[in-house]
Amino acid sequence: MKWMAAVIGLTILVVLLTLYEWPKMDQHQKKEKTAFVTITAMGWLLAILLLFFPDLPGPTQMIDKLFKPLGRMLEKK
């Protein structure tokens, strides 16, 4: 039940953030609103994932795994 309270708390926080920021955006700013919704949803999803999987690797660890082989190849030449 502790995780449920955390999920509800995060959801309420995201809703409050959206209710605060949405009216400040101009009605004709479609791209900005789309970007706001996308980034907010991704942040909410990441927060929920970190609740259930706290040992989830961070973005820097993912970049290290992707670019370490490339770095080794460039060092050899």
Side-chain angles (χ1 to χ4, degrees):
M1 289 303 273
K2 187 177 181 182
W3 61 269
M4 190 177 219
V7 170
I8 291 170
L10 282 169
T11 304
I12 290 172
L13 190 65
V14 168
V15 168
L16 289 174
L17 173 80
T18 304
L19 289 174
Y20 178 74
E21 290 293 332
W22 198 262
K24 292 183 178 186
M25 286 188 254
D26 189 26
Q27 183 180 3
H28 303 292
Q29 294 179 327
K30 303 279 187 210
K31 290 181 183 179
E32 286 82 359
K33 287 184 175 185
T34 303
F36 176 77
V37 168
T38 303
I39 292 171
T40 304
M42 288 173 54
W44 178 80
L45 182 63
L46 180 61
I48 299 298
L49 281 173
L50 286 173
L51 278 174
F52 291 108
F53 307 106
D55 296 330
L56 196 66
T60 52
Q61 292 170 333
M62 182 185 71
I63 290 172
D64 281 345
K65 285 184 181 180
L66 286 173
F67 291 114
K68 209 172 243 188
L70 179 65
R72 284 191 216 127
M73 285 179 15
L74 292 173
E75 284 178 2
K76 290 180 182 179
K77 292 183 179 186

